């Protein structure tokens, strides 16, 4: 009977090598993984079923895939939401200081979306792909906790639309059927991309356009910054007009006409060092991006310089990608003593002060889509300052012959020079700008209807 004697393993009998052991380990882990996934899926399914009955609160989750400190419009939305008695969860990048009320208010919760930066050099496309995947993971995990049973609306800023629109729509279709997605359209992301290609039919532009279109159609409500943008969403994206509300941008509370002593304010601003009572001040705020033409401003300033017989300060505020190009162009010219050109990056608290003491504003923004409006003009009007602006389709919803001068040919430096000169010395559009200043955000916000 010796053949049934158990002999145990012989030394060396289990030396299968690591590939076989790996396969065995994988095979053994299948039931564990399966159990884990099923448990998770069942849990998520139950969450979904429970939520189908609707939200149990009236909270709003506001998402900005950008720096919250530089998203004034979204901050005004948040403030209005809080005023109307809602609890707000605000998600975005926390790179710069936020308006005070966002910190003080115990009805606003802040959630940081981590910024993904290119730390080591890798090709742009590889980085972009990596960034989107990383953001998808981050946003999904963040939003699936921030959006809870009390959430009624999710308000998403667009652009940027990748990947945040898709994530919001995905969550709405899966575990958050109780929320309504509201897209706040500031512009069209595909038109921003098109600044690079100047070709509507470029595959990347078309892809982004379709992405925005279909994600947009899957959302529940829409706000737009202009009537023109609403028309576009209706005609080109096929979104039902009844679900779109126009909410024009309005200046914040700090942008009001000057009340106190002009001299005292001028003294507070280092950039106006040497400013005398008789001097004039032109302000142009910018983020030095592709949709602004600084070449034409520099040329116009050269012409203005030779026309002036009293002193003018030209202050360009802001920083951005094309800043160096502008400063170089300014440095290359020899300016007379009558024109003093300065570039400055002002703290949030000083910027309204500068506008309050300005005589005229210049807006070089010509809008990638032609459908949005420059916040800079809105803020200037808030302070009652008339403007010279580049022309584009939506502009006439804001600038009229009562409050500003609009370019006929955006690339004509002589015309820009003439218009700046006229605004400073020949026409008085201040009353019109002051009337515009009286229209404020709260009135516009009533148009949202759903809130
Ligand atoms: C979308 O818009 C944002 C600005 O909000 C811009 O930074 C980003 O580059 C745009 N995306 C593409 C693919 O152009
Ligand atoms: C606009 O101005 C530019 C620069 O002066 C000029 O080259 C161009 O022909 C003008 N365009 C029109 C339509 O007048």
């Amino acid at each position: 009977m010796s053949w049934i004697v158990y002999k145990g393993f012989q030394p060396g009998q289990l030396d299968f090598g690591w590939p076989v052991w790996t396969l065995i380990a994988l095979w053994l882990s299948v039931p564990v993984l399966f159990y884990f996934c099923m448990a998770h899926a069942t849990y998520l399914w139950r969450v979904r079923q429970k939520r189908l009955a609707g939200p149990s609160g009236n909270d709003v989750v506001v998402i900005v895939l950008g720096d919250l400190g530089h998203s004034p419009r979204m901050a005004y939305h948040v403030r209005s939401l809080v005023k109307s008695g809602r609890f707000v969860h605000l998600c975005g990048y926390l790179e710069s200081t936020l308006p005070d009320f966002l910190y003080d208010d115990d009805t606003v919760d802040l959630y940081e979306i981590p910024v993904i930066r290119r730390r080591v050099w890798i090709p742009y496309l590889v980085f972009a792909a990596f960034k989107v995947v990383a953001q998808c993971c981050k946003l999904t995990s963040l939003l699936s906790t921030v959006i809870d049973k009390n959430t009624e609306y999710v308000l998403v800023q667009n652009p940027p639309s990748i990947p945040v629109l898709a994530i919001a729509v995905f969550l709405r279709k899966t575990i958050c059927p109780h929320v309504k997605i509201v897209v706040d359209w500031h512009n069209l992301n595909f038109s921003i991309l098109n600044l690079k290609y100047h070709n509507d039919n470029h595959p990347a532009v078309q892809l982004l356009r379709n992405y925005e279109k279909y994600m947009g159609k899957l959302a529940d409500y829409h706000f737009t910054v202009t009537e023109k943008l609403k028309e576009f969403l209706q005609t080109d994206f096929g979104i039902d007009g009844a679900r779109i509300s126009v909410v024009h941008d309005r200046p914040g509370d700090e942008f009001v006409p000057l009340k106190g002593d002009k001299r005292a304010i001028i003294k507070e601003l280092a950039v106006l060092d040497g400013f005398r009572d008789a001097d004039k001040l032109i302000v142009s705020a910018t983020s030095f991006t592709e949709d602004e033409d600084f070449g034409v401003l520099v040329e116009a300033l050269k012409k203005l310089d030779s026309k002036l017989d009293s002193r003018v300060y030209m202050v360009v505020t802001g920083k951005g990608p094309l800043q160096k190009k502008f400063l170089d162009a300014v440095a290359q010219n020899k300016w007379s003593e009558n024109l003093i050109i300065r570039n400055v990056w002002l703290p949030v608290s000083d910027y309204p002060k500068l506008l309050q003491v300005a005589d005229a504003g210049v807006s070089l923004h010509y809008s990638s889509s032609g459908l949005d409006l420059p916040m800079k003009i809105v803020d200037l009007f808030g302070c009652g300052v008339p403007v010279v602006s580049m022309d584009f389709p939506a502009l006439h919803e804001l600038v009229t012959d009562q409050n500003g001068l609009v370019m006929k040919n955006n690339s004509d430096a002589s015309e820009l020079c003439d218009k700046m000169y006229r605004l400073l010395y020949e026409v008085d559009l201040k009353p019109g700008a002051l009337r515009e200043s009286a229209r404020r955000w709260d009135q516009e916000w009533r148009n949202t209807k759903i809130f």
Side-chain angles (χ1 to χ4, degrees):
M1 301 289 270
S2 61
W3 66 89
I4 57 163
V5 170
Y6 177 67
K7 291 193 190 135
F9 287 111
Q10 297 297 318
Q13 214 171 355
L14 292 178
D15 279 354
F16 299 137
W18 64 264
V20 177
W21 276 118
T22 310
L23 284 177
I24 292 173
L26 277 179
W27 185 76
L28 288 174
S29 64
V30 165
V32 179
L33 281 177
F34 180 75
Y35 172 78
F36 181 78
C37 291
M38 284 311 287
H40 217 69
T42 321
Y43 168 74
L44 293 178
W45 177 253
R46 282 214 206 101
V47 169
R48 179 187 155 84
Q49 291 307 100
K50 245 193 231 160
R51 287 174 171 179
L52 279 173
S56 40
N58 69 355
D59 293 9
V60 180
V61 172
V62 178
I63 313 166
V64 184
L65 200 57
D67 183 24
L68 292 178
H70 289 105
S71 306
R73 179 177 166 93
M74 297 315 276
Y76 301 149
H77 275 308
V78 171
R79 194 178 46 184
S80 299
L81 285 165
V82 167
K83 265 198 211 162
S84 67
R86 287 169 184 272
F87 194 96
V88 178
H89 305 263
L90 176 60
C91 315
Y93 298 163
L94 298 176
E95 291 184 299
S96 54
T97 340
L98 305 182
D100 286 341
F101 73 91
L102 289 181
Y103 294 113
D104 296 345
D105 214 305
D106 53 7
T107 47
V108 181
D109 267 355
L110 290 174
Y111 300 85
E112 177 164 18
I113 301 174
V115 184
I116 297 162
R117 289 205 178 76
R118 184 151 48 158
R119 291 224 168 72
V120 289
W121 194 89
I122 42 175
Y124 176 75
L125 275 181
V126 178
F127 171 73
F130 166 77
K131 185 172 167 180
V132 169
V133 173
Q135 276 179 334
C136 283
C137 299
K138 264 280 151 230
L139 280 172
T140 314
S141 70
L142 176 72
L143 294 182
S144 54
T145 50
V146 175
I147 301 175
D148 63 14
K149 62 183 193 330
N150 292 325
T151 312
E152 187 178 2
Y153 290 101
V154 175
L155 176 61
V156 190
Q157 172 187 325
N158 180 67
S161 16
I162 298 179
V164 63
L165 274 190
I167 305 279
V169 166
F170 168 74
L171 289 174
R172 161 93 168 84
K173 295 285 169 201
T174 54
I175 57 167
C176 308
H178 62 307
V179 301
K180 299 259 179 287
I181 305 279
V182 188
V183 182
D184 190 36
W185 296 82
H186 297 195
N187 201 345
L188 297 160
N189 217 152
F190 77 85
S191 72
I192 297 176
L193 180 63
N194 201 22
L195 288 173
K196 221 188 297 180
Y197 298 108
H198 303 285
N199 172 12
D200 278 325
N201 296 319
H202 189 284
V205 177
Q206 283 293 322
L207 192 71
L208 187 53
R209 183 193 158 101
N210 283 317
Y211 169 87
E212 273 184 291
K213 175 173 170 178
Y214 291 106
M215 292 305 148
K217 282 176 108 152
L218 289 170
D220 300 277
Y221 297 105
H222 306 266
F223 303 153
T224 62
V225 290
T226 60
E227 298 284 347
K228 279 268 185 297
L229 186 49
K230 173 177 175 172
E231 277 167 33
F232 179 90
L233 294 185
Q234 280 180 275
T235 54
D236 287 58
F237 282 5
I239 295 174
D240 175 11
R243 295 194 287 133
I244 312 176
S245 313
V246 180
V247 184
H248 282 112
D249 277 318
R250 294 282 88 210
D253 295 343
E254 45 313 3
F255 297 95
V256 285
L258 179 68
K259 284 204 194 72
D261 177 8
K262 186 170 173 182
R263 275 191 204 151
I265 292 189
I266 288 173
K267 258 211 197 95
E268 281 178 44
L269 299 165
V271 64
L272 296 182
D273 183 34
F275 195 90
R276 300 176 304 212
D277 287 349
D279 297 348
K280 298 273 189 190
L281 170 62
I282 311 179
V283 175
S284 185
T286 173
S287 34
F288 289 104
T289 47
E290 297 282 346
D291 55 2
E292 289 168 306
D293 186 354
F294 283 92
V296 68
L297 179 64
V298 176
E299 286 313 306
L301 287 173
K302 285 181 194 168
K303 293 179 200 291
L304 185 68
D305 194 15
S306 58
K307 241 176 132 168
L308 291 175
D309 36 33
S310 58
R311 245 177 26 155
V312 171
Y313 274 59
M314 170 85 219
V315 177
V316 178
T317 71
K319 55 184 177 188
L322 302 181
Q323 184 177 19
K324 190 170 176 313
K325 208 169 138 197
F326 169 74
L327 292 178
D328 288 347
V330 170
Q332 265 164 26
N333 190 51
K334 179 101 188 58
W335 303 94
S336 81
E337 280 167 6
N338 279 335
L339 187 57
I340 294 145
I341 303 176
R342 291 189 178 156
N343 171 231
V344 64
W345 169 250
L346 287 176
V348 181
S349 55
D350 280 352
Y351 178 58
K353 292 181 192 161
L354 181 72
L355 300 194
Q356 285 177 331
V357 295
D359 298 287
V362 173
S363 169
L364 300 168
H365 181 98
Y366 58 78
S367 177
S368 58
S369 57
L371 303 176
D372 67 331
L373 287 166
M375 214 42 218
K376 293 129 200 179
I377 301 186
V378 174
D379 293 340
L380 281 159
F381 282 165
C383 299
V385 180
V387 298
V388 180
S389 172
M390 297 293 163
D391 193 18
F392 53 87
L395 186 75
H396 306 274
E397 291 178 39
L398 182 62
V399 182
T400 64
D401 55 6
Q402 300 291 304
N403 54 27
L405 302 173
V406 180
M407 295 285 285
K408 291 204 167 58
N409 177 349
N410 289 347
S411 43
D412 188 346
S414 321
E415 189 190 346
L416 181 56
C417 165
D418 290 344
K419 294 232 145 92
M420 289 197 284
Y421 190 87
R422 272 184 65 200
L423 202 51
L424 286 181
Y425 299 107
E426 292 173 1
V427 290
D428 183 15
L429 297 179
K430 184 102 189 155
L434 285 170
R435 273 197 301 280
E436 191 64 30
S437 167
R439 292 177 47 206
R440 309 308 288 201
W441 173 261
D442 287 349
Q443 281 153 269
E444 282 297 327
W445 205 73
R446 286 187 209 126
N447 296 340
T448 61
K449 293 185 204 116
I450 56 167
F451 289 134

